[in-house]
């Protein structure tokens, strides 16, 4: 950990009354869920085009069996606990140091760690929704896991169930809220995202065009490193320990 960079982050955060955090898959690797673009991510092992050709709304509608064969292998996350990083963000929210978390993650770990003000723009993999509009009932992933058929059907009406996550080709959830939160921030901290996925990456870009206080904490490069006031490279340390140290120095 570079102590001088941490001091810089602490002085920026200490003078902020509205710090918003944007998180991506990298914050959950420390909880045991692999990211997409990191070393072991599926974009590296399977190829981005192949993944995108399956995890999209038209494949789901045309060929739900193909969709689910893949989805159940890759996105049926094992039950994991929030990492230290998730817990630190929840704790910092309680202390008033973080106002909101806008996340691309679908694992629900921020909420599980106790964060209250979370905008999950890609939805939540823990929930499924019946695609028959007149029904529209929600089910837990635990219940869906018990369904033996590859394509799960609604126990009430027989409609196909869809994971409550945003597939390629679908609009994100909470677009206006997420953008407003980010643009109103005094300081924006991005954690564990390569900032490749739009529109969230676009919001971060827009923020940095108007304001300077962008902090990035990531393992490896991101698309916005050049615009960051401070970039903390996670390296051999962990994001959880870095956040813990920042919180300690904030006193
Ligand atoms: P990404 O895979 O594009 O980028 C993750 C970044 O985090 C990479 O730069 C990686 O090097 C970095 N990273 C890995 N471990 C880290 C650590 N311990 N600390 C800090 N940084 C670390 O992720 P993304 O930008 O969020 O986009 C991927 C898309 O895939 C998103 O849309 C997301 O919805 C989805 N996704 C979600 C999950 C999840 O919910 N946990 C997991 C995989 C993918």
């Amino acid at each position: 950990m570079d102590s001088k960079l941490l001091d810089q982050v602490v002085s920026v955060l200490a003078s902020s009354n509205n710090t918003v955090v944007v998180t991506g898959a990298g914050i959950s690797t420390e909880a045991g869920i692999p990211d997409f673009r990191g070393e072991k991510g599926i974009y590296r092992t399977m190829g981005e085009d192949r993944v995108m050709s399956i995890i999209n709304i038209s494949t789901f509608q045309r060929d739900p069996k193909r969709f689910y064969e893949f989805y159940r292998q890759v996105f049926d996350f094992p039950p994991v606990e929030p990492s230290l990083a998730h817990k630190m963000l929840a704790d910092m929210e309680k202390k008033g140091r973080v106002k909101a978390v806008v996340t691309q993650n679908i694992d629900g770990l921020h909420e599980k760690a106790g964060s209250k003000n979370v905008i999950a723009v890609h939805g939540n993999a823990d929930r499924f929704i019946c695609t028959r509009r007149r029904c529209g009932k929600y089910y837990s992933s635990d219940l869906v896991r018990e369904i033996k058929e590859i394509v799960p059907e609604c126990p009430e009406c027989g409609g196909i169930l869809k994971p409550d996550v945003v597939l390629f080709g679908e609009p994100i959830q909470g677009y206006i809220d997420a953008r407003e939160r980010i643009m109103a921030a005094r300081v924006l901290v991005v954690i564990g995202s390569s900032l490749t996925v739009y529109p969230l990456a676009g919001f971060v870009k827009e923020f940095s065009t108007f304001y300077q206080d962008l902090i990035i904490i990531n393992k490896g490069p991101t698309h916005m490193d050049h615009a960051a006031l401070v970039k903390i490279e996670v390296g051999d340390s962990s994001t959880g320990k870095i956040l813990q140290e920042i919180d300690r120095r904030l006193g």
Side-chain angles (χ1 to χ4, degrees):
M1 267 186 245
D2 184 322
S3 193
K4 275 193 187 150
L5 288 183
L6 289 185
D7 279 342
Q8 238 182 307
V9 172
V10 168
S11 90
V12 175
L13 292 184
S15 61
S16 165
N17 60 0
N18 188 358
T19 297
V20 173
V21 177
V22 166
T23 66
I27 198 169
S28 295
T29 58
E30 288 169 21
I33 299 177
D35 59 13
F36 279 2
R37 290 182 177 82
E39 269 171 29
K40 295 177 200 153
I42 51 168
Y43 282 165
R44 300 260 183 123
T45 54
M46 294 184 59
E48 192 164 345
D49 288 349
R50 180 149 177 253
V51 177
M52 285 171 80
S53 75
I54 305 173
I55 300 299
N56 71 64
I57 187 66
S58 60
T59 303
F60 175 81
Q61 286 164 341
R62 270 187 294 110
D63 193 351
K65 185 164 174 278
R66 180 166 178 244
F67 172 88
Y68 266 110
E69 276 167 352
F70 182 78
Y71 187 88
R72 283 185 188 266
Q73 267 181 50
V74 177
F75 286 90
D76 195 4
F77 298 137
V80 293
E81 289 305 309
S83 67
L84 176 62
H86 293 103
K87 289 179 192 158
M88 285 313 303
L89 288 182
D91 191 44
M92 289 168 87
E93 183 185 309
K94 234 180 258 160
K95 291 174 180 159
R97 290 177 173 164
V98 166
K99 281 280 183 279
V101 175
V102 180
T103 187
Q104 295 196 142
N105 294 342
I106 54 175
D107 52 33
L109 288 177
H110 285 301
E111 294 88 338
K112 207 169 171 188
S115 285
K116 300 277 178 254
N117 217 342
V118 181
I119 304 175
V121 294
H122 289 172
N124 193 329
D126 275 344
R127 291 204 313 182
F128 285 72
I129 182 170
C130 176
T131 51
R132 276 205 187 136
R133 266 198 211 145
R134 265 195 231 147
C135 176
K137 284 209 170 62
Y138 284 98
Y139 295 95
S140 73
S141 55
D142 286 344
L143 188 136
V144 173
R145 232 172 260 129
E146 283 168 18
I147 299 176
K148 293 281 172 294
E149 289 74 27
I150 291 175
V151 179
E153 288 177 0
C154 177
E156 295 271 325
C157 75
I160 291 179
L161 298 182
K162 176 185 174 292
D164 191 23
V165 300
V166 174
L167 305 177
F168 289 108
E170 288 191 299
I172 65 165
Q173 297 180 9
Y175 182 102
I176 292 173
D177 267 9
R179 188 178 169 279
E180 275 179 1
R181 270 288 179 187
I182 289 172
M183 293 309 288
R186 168 74 184 77
V187 176
L188 190 65
V189 185
V190 175
I191 302 174
S193 173
S194 58
L195 292 173
T196 314
V197 182
Y198 279 72
L200 197 56
F203 299 162
V204 175
K205 204 170 177 180
E206 200 179 344
F207 172 88
S208 76
T209 312
F210 292 104
Y211 312 104
Q212 288 184 325
D213 292 346
L214 172 67
I215 293 166
I216 297 179
I217 302 173
N218 201 62
K219 201 172 251 186
T222 82
H223 286 279
M224 292 299 292
D225 286 353
H226 62 279
L229 180 70
V230 189
K231 159 80 192 285
I232 304 241
E233 178 54 56
V234 172
D236 293 334
S237 182
S238 80
T239 296
K241 288 204 178 118
I242 289 168
L243 291 177
Q244 199 171 40
E245 184 55 21
I246 290 171
D247 190 56
R248 192 188 69 75
R249 289 185 191 202
L250 278 165

